[in-house]
Amino acid sequence: MCGIVGYIGYRDAWPIVIKGLHRLEYRGYDSAGVALINDTLKIYKKAGKVSDLEDAVKGIDLNGKIGMGHTRWATHGEPSDRNSHPHTSGDERLAIIHNGIIENYSALKETLLSRGHVFKSDTDTEVLIHLIEDIQDQTGLDLREAVRIALNEVVGAFAIVIMSKDDPDELIAARKGSPMVLGVGDDEYFIASDASPIIEYTKNVIYLNDNEIAFIRREELLIKNIDNVVQIPYVQELELKLEMLEKGGFDHFMLKEIYEQPRSIKDCMRGRIYPSSGQVQLGGIKEYAEKLKNVDRIIIVACGTSWHAGLVGEYLIEECARIPVEVEYASEFRYRNPIISEKDIVIAVSQSGETADTMAAIELAKEKGATIFGICNVVGASIPRLSHAGVYTHAGPEIGVASTKAFTAQVTVLTLMALYMAQQRGTISQSKLIHLLTELDNIPGLVEKCLESNEKIKTISEHFKGALNFLFLGRGSGFPVALEGALKLKEISYIHAEGYPAAEMKHGPIALIDEEMPVVFIATKNSSYEKVISNIQEVKARKGRVIAIVTEGDTVVRGMADYVIEIPDADEVFLPLLATIPLQLLSYHIAVLRDCNVDQPRNLAKSVTVE
């Protein structure tokens, strides 16, 4: 949630900041604002998209070599001009942008009100900048020390950037629980929520750690922790490429990312599987190979699409490695008293590596002695650093808010983990392992084949653009695929959609079936095939409209369903990687036909870094 950009150096700040906000708009697009210093502190902000802000400042002098910007996903206070960031102190000497939530802002606000502070917005962020101002007024301390003291008083998560018209040559940045990366150039520095606004200018970055404060001048960077101890920054080189952040001729990032899946899945497997010898190598968890032989239980914690990937992982790990697996919503896991021991392994799955609930679940599990494996797409993110070990997905940046290639990359990694665990535990024969790895090696090509159905799926979508509800049904590992298909549709087209195990249809959802109800079946030829056919017959008997995902060459379901979409034949283990593709395309085309903003669906942000 919320995107932050900052710049200090020899270039004009406005073009860098506004371009960075466009690249971060997937993190929030309720409002946007920019602060610049050119003799004085100037702030421009507007409810709506970044483009609305650009329209609002046409003809205005936007010069300045220091600036910061923010694109918002609203938490405290409705989307509006006055709630947009940046916010200022009462004397308008200081400005702040903020990603996160100040949980004790209400108590702080009451104290500040009693001291005569007047607030212009409904946000928790404005309270923080007033607190910093108040500390300076009460103590006479300089800004650096006032910021440090204020951050010791607040409870919650934050990534902040502060600038002062009294010191036009410094930006102050800090983080706790929300991501922040610093780009290091020659006599210039960049600040952002992630690396996408920075890569055009430098590949050298520093990922701020929790409770670190950066004091940034054109020719100097000083980092201290919240206890005032100087920290030695670790500069690393980005692997990100600029072309990864462009649409590349596609109408939407989401469609581009759907089509990138053959490559992203291949990148996920590169250097990790050796089909001819039947070997899986996962260097990220190799150190824990012995523990995997004796692990009592695996708990997968995740949110949203990552939770669906975790459900697929449950099927795969239990089937291949014969280890009991539980899949938990991180948001629920963290608020109860789960039974965890040092014999357990917790696998945390997150595309961004910054999901607040998942991070809190990790901390809880670590306190109870569990070993943490992280699955993440973003190198240097918080979750990999919190984990004992883990595996990166290497899917590349995903700009579309609705996850597509991130999901299949997570499923690919979980498949590799399941086979690696089976290999370590001796629960799979070598011949079976060679067979599965050979098939897995061919999956990118089969995904390419799934994408060939795009035009057919677009035609089918025409018939359902006016639907009010959808059901998605599947059995076995087809059930989490159904859940993911329903989530994609509701996220980007705003059609109410639910996923169920097909066998559960008779326990309630069948009451919804009539001639207006589209029902999507995962009906591939696997161990549940005959059962799913029976479920289709039950829907057709009640005049439901059936869209079926079937194995190539299937004639039985074709004779029953209203519409069929074929996917290539493959081992049942790999069903989720193939059956997901047509559901992504179906959701995409329905959303486009309904004139929805596919890449930036309403009320959603890419990374949920607050509760």
Side-chain angles (χ1 to χ4, degrees):
M1 65 166 300
C2 298
I4 283 174
V5 184
Y7 174 76
I8 182 169
Y10 58 88
R11 312 177 201 233
D12 283 332
W14 169 264
I16 294 169
V17 171
I18 205 71
K19 184 182 286 187
L21 291 183
H22 276 296
R23 289 203 175 135
L24 290 176
E25 201 166 15
Y26 69 91
R27 299 179 65 90
Y29 31 88
D30 294 332
S31 59
V34 172
L36 300 168
I37 293 181
N38 182 16
D39 297 328
T40 186
L41 176 63
K42 299 175 182 178
I43 292 176
Y44 312 97
K45 54 187 186 176
K46 187 73 176 172
K49 302 293 181 65
V50 175
S51 57
D52 295 317
L53 173 65
E54 288 181 287
D55 291 339
V57 300
K58 283 180 179 175
I60 293 175
D61 179 9
L62 299 170
N63 289 324
K65 308 299 183 184
I66 177 172
M68 63 186 189
H70 186 272
T71 181
R72 182 173 185 244
W73 186 70
T75 52
H76 293 85
E78 66 181 8
S80 64
D81 288 356
R82 71 187 187 91
N83 287 329
S84 304
H85 298 215
H87 291 289
T88 60
S89 55
D91 57 11
E92 298 188 345
R93 180 173 48 87
L94 308 174
I96 187 173
I97 54 178
H98 169 222
N99 174 16
I101 286 181
I102 307 301
E103 295 176 7
N104 62 335
Y105 86 99
S106 183
L108 293 170
K109 188 173 185 177
E110 285 186 18
T111 301
L112 292 167
L113 285 168
S114 71
R115 292 179 180 168
H117 287 259
V118 177
F119 294 90
K120 300 175 183 177
S121 77
D122 304 315
T123 68
D124 55 333
T125 304
E126 190 184 8
V127 173
L128 177 54
I129 198 66
H130 276 255
L131 176 62
I132 294 167
E133 175 191 20
D134 190 72
I135 291 170
Q136 283 197 286
D137 290 343
Q138 298 291 326
T139 65
L141 293 169
D142 66 16
L143 180 58
R144 289 186 174 190
E145 186 63 8
V147 169
R148 190 185 70 81
I149 291 172
L151 294 182
N152 272 292
E153 292 189 23
V154 299
V155 177
F158 55 80
I160 61 170
V161 184
I162 294 169
M163 57 198 304
S164 169
K165 70 178 183 180
D166 295 339
D167 189 352
D169 295 312
E170 181 168 85
L171 290 174
I172 299 176
R175 70 153 287 183
K176 179 185 177 182
S178 291
M180 180 167 284
V181 57
L182 308 181
V184 182
D186 294 328
D187 296 332
E188 62 179 349
Y189 288 93
F190 306 82
I191 306 169
S193 297
D194 65 39
S196 58
I198 293 174
I199 187 61
E200 186 171 344
Y201 309 100
T202 180
K203 286 198 169 186
N204 297 319
V205 297
I206 298 165
Y207 291 95
L208 278 190
N209 294 310
D210 271 356
N211 293 314
E212 287 186 341
I213 308 170
F215 306 102
I216 308 164
R217 306 182 79 82
R218 288 176 175 82
E219 299 177 4
E220 178 190 17
L221 172 65
L222 173 65
I223 298 177
K224 292 185 176 183
N225 66 17
I226 208 166
D227 296 320
N228 213 28
V229 178
V230 174
Q231 306 294 295
I232 299 173
Y234 170 58
V235 180
Q236 53 187 290
E237 186 172 321
L238 287 173
E239 296 180 3
L240 186 65
K241 295 179 181 178
L242 186 59
E243 58 266 27
M244 294 179 178
L245 305 175
E246 307 298 334
K247 289 182 183 175
F250 288 90
D251 290 337
H252 298 92
F253 280 109
M254 182 180 179
L255 187 60
K256 177 196 176 196
E257 288 153 8
I258 290 171
Y259 271 82
E260 284 178 340
Q261 288 173 108
R263 179 198 57 78
S264 59
I265 292 171
K266 184 178 291 186
D267 287 347
C268 213
M269 298 187 296
R270 183 173 286 117
R272 292 170 172 171
I273 65 168
Y274 300 87
S276 59
S277 60
Q279 292 291 314
V280 183
Q281 293 185 8
L282 295 178
I285 61 173
K286 184 178 180 181
E287 181 183 346
Y288 292 88
E290 196 61 35
K291 177 157 189 172
L292 286 169
K293 294 178 182 178
N294 303 298
V295 63
D296 281 358
R297 178 182 56 159
I298 289 174
I299 303 168
I300 299 175
V301 293
C303 300
T305 284
S306 298
W307 186 78
H308 297 157
L311 288 178
V312 176
E314 177 183 18
Y315 284 95
L316 294 171
I317 293 169
E318 291 193 344
E319 173 67 25
C320 297
R322 309 306 297 156
I323 304 170
V325 179
E326 297 175 14
V327 184
E328 298 265 8
Y329 283 113
S331 54
E332 292 297 315
F333 182 81
R334 64 177 292 195
Y335 285 116
R336 56 187 183 81
N337 188 21
I339 301 171
I340 306 171
S341 78
E342 64 279 359
K343 292 184 178 180
D344 294 328
I345 290 175
V346 172
I347 301 177
V349 188
S350 168
Q351 187 279 141
S352 67
E354 304 290 349
T355 310
D357 286 321
T358 307
M359 289 165 61
I362 289 173
E363 297 284 13
L364 175 63
K366 285 175 77 173
E367 288 173 9
K368 293 178 178 290
T371 299
I372 313 297
F373 289 173
I375 296 178
C376 178
N377 189 39
V378 181
V379 176
S382 296
I383 284 176
R385 288 187 283 171
L386 286 170
S387 302
H388 295 108
V391 182
Y392 283 112
T393 57
H394 298 306
E398 188 178 66
I399 308 300
V401 167
S403 276
T404 52
K405 66 176 182 176
F407 173 74
T408 50
Q410 289 168 349
V411 170
T412 301
V413 164
L414 285 162
T415 303
L416 294 175
M417 279 188 165
L419 296 175
Y420 180 77
M421 293 174 190
Q423 178 181 278
Q424 298 303 313
R425 293 166 64 87
T427 55
I428 189 170
S429 69
Q430 190 66 7
S431 59
K432 178 69 171 176
L433 189 55
I434 290 172
H435 164 72
L436 290 177
L437 291 177
T438 301
E439 285 220 3
L440 182 58
D441 198 35
N442 292 329
I443 287 295
L446 299 185
V447 171
E448 287 269 18
K449 199 166 184 180
C450 291
L451 292 168
E452 293 174 5
S453 298
N454 181 52
E455 287 303 316
K456 179 177 183 178
I457 294 168
K458 184 176 181 180
T459 301
I460 293 171
S461 300
E462 290 275 0
H463 299 280
F464 297 99
K465 62 184 179 183
L468 300 177
N469 300 283
F470 258 82
L471 279 178
F472 289 73
L473 302 174
R475 288 177 180 251
S477 60
F479 164 50
V481 172
L483 289 173
E484 177 61 12
L487 178 61
K488 284 290 134 323
L489 186 66
K490 72 179 77 169
E491 280 181 317
I492 63 172
S493 74
Y494 317 139
I495 295 173
H496 174 251
E498 298 296 335
Y500 282 93
E504 289 297 303
M505 182 183 65
K506 296 188 291 294
H507 296 275
I510 198 168
L512 300 172
I513 305 297
D514 60 20
E515 62 274 10
E516 299 298 321
M517 175 65 80
V519 184
V520 179
F521 277 95
I522 315 303
T524 53
K525 288 186 177 177
N526 55 35
S527 57
S528 302
Y529 180 66
E530 297 298 333
K531 298 292 186 182
V532 173
I533 287 176
S534 296
N535 295 138
I536 294 174
Q537 291 171 329
E538 289 165 348
V539 169
K540 291 306 298 177
R542 290 158 180 82
K543 304 186 186 304
R545 301 162 73 191
V546 172
I547 305 168
I549 310 300
V550 302
T551 303
E552 194 173 30
D554 184 294
T555 56
V556 176
V557 176
R558 182 179 293 276
M560 301 163 57
D562 298 276
Y563 307 94
V564 297
I565 304 168
E566 291 187 337
I567 62 173
D569 192 14
D571 193 285
E572 188 173 349
V573 167
F574 307 117
L575 165 66
L577 290 172
L578 301 178
T580 297
I581 307 300
L583 300 186
Q584 293 172 349
L585 290 169
L586 182 70
S587 299
Y588 170 80
H589 286 300
I590 290 175
V592 170
L593 290 167
R594 289 167 65 89
D595 200 27
C596 297
N597 190 332
V598 172
D599 286 334
Q600 298 173 353
R602 68 188 183 204
N603 302 333
L604 295 177
K606 184 67 176 174
S607 178
V608 183
T609 58
V610 298
E611 293 182 57

